[in-house]
Amino acid sequence: MEEILHLEEHEKWMRICLELGRMALQSGNPPVGSIIVQDGKLIGEGIEAGKSKKDITYHAEIEAIRDAITKTQQQDLREASLYTTHEPCLMCSYVIRHYKITKVIVGTPVPVIGGFSSAYPLLVATDIDIWSAPPHIITNVLKEDCQALTHAYEQKQK
């Protein structure tokens, strides 16, 4: 029963990410939405905007972290969870590890440049001494919905 409650909670937060992903898609960006949750409260949100802002660092995960840091004035996010429609890339994985986020909940994997499923699993690396333990990763939360956003983006690119 507890697993079902956790899944329902994860799906609730992932639906917010999906809405943010739809907003990114409407702006011509890859459809990625991310949020930071701490103590049951949304403390940061991010929308993919690298294409529209012409700056690769505007990934949804980094934007959500920036927003959480601004709102909470804390640099240590070890009590927070990051939700995202797509697996964090290598750049986002570095930022997640830097700010010590301990739980990452993902809609769909991105094996080419993903932080845990690619050939460069930075998000789960244990050989970087200055980092704390890797975050706990939960995958495939509303996976089909997240993949549908990706498909919609790919169709727009044709």
Side-chain angles (χ1 to χ4, degrees):
M1 184 67 167
E2 187 175 332
E3 293 244 347
I4 293 170
L5 291 175
H6 285 299
L7 181 59
E8 288 175 1
E9 182 80 2
H10 294 322
E11 287 179 350
K12 173 185 98 170
W13 294 117
M14 189 61 72
R15 283 187 184 86
I16 296 169
C17 294
L18 284 161
E19 185 56 37
L20 294 170
R22 285 184 201 90
M23 293 168 63
L25 181 62
Q26 290 172 354
S27 299
N29 293 289
V32 184
S34 298
I35 60 171
I36 305 289
V37 175
Q38 185 172 319
D39 298 325
K41 297 179 183 133
L42 191 149
I43 62 168
E45 60 182 48
I47 297 172
E48 192 85 7
K51 284 194 172 214
S52 59
K53 292 194 178 195
K54 298 178 179 32
D55 181 340
I56 195 169
T57 65
Y58 280 92
H59 280 205
E61 297 88 347
I62 293 172
E63 288 300 286
I65 292 168
R66 285 176 178 151
D67 190 38
I69 289 168
T70 299
K71 287 177 179 171
T72 65
Q73 295 297 300
Q74 63 186 39
Q75 297 281 311
D76 185 331
L77 296 174
R78 78 179 74 225
E79 300 298 320
S81 298
L82 180 139
Y83 286 80
T84 186
T85 55
H86 292 71
E87 177 182 355
C89 73
L90 300 172
M91 175 177 64
C92 295
S93 294
Y94 181 93
V95 176
I96 290 165
R97 294 297 298 272
H98 179 81
Y99 288 104
K100 301 178 174 92
I101 294 171
T102 55
K103 189 182 288 184
V104 176
I105 300 89
V106 176
T108 187
V110 183
V112 176
I113 58 165
F116 61 83
S117 69
S118 75
Y120 310 99
L122 192 60
L123 193 58
V124 294
T126 57
D127 58 345
I128 300 173
D129 293 339
I130 61 170
W131 284 348
S132 55
H136 176 68
I137 299 170
I138 298 168
T139 60
N140 301 325
V141 175
L142 298 179
K143 180 180 179 178
E144 292 79 19
D145 295 334
C146 295
Q147 289 176 331
L149 274 179
T150 299
H151 182 70
Y153 176 74
E154 289 167 351
Q155 294 302 308
K156 284 180 109 176
Q157 300 306 302
K158 290 182 179 180

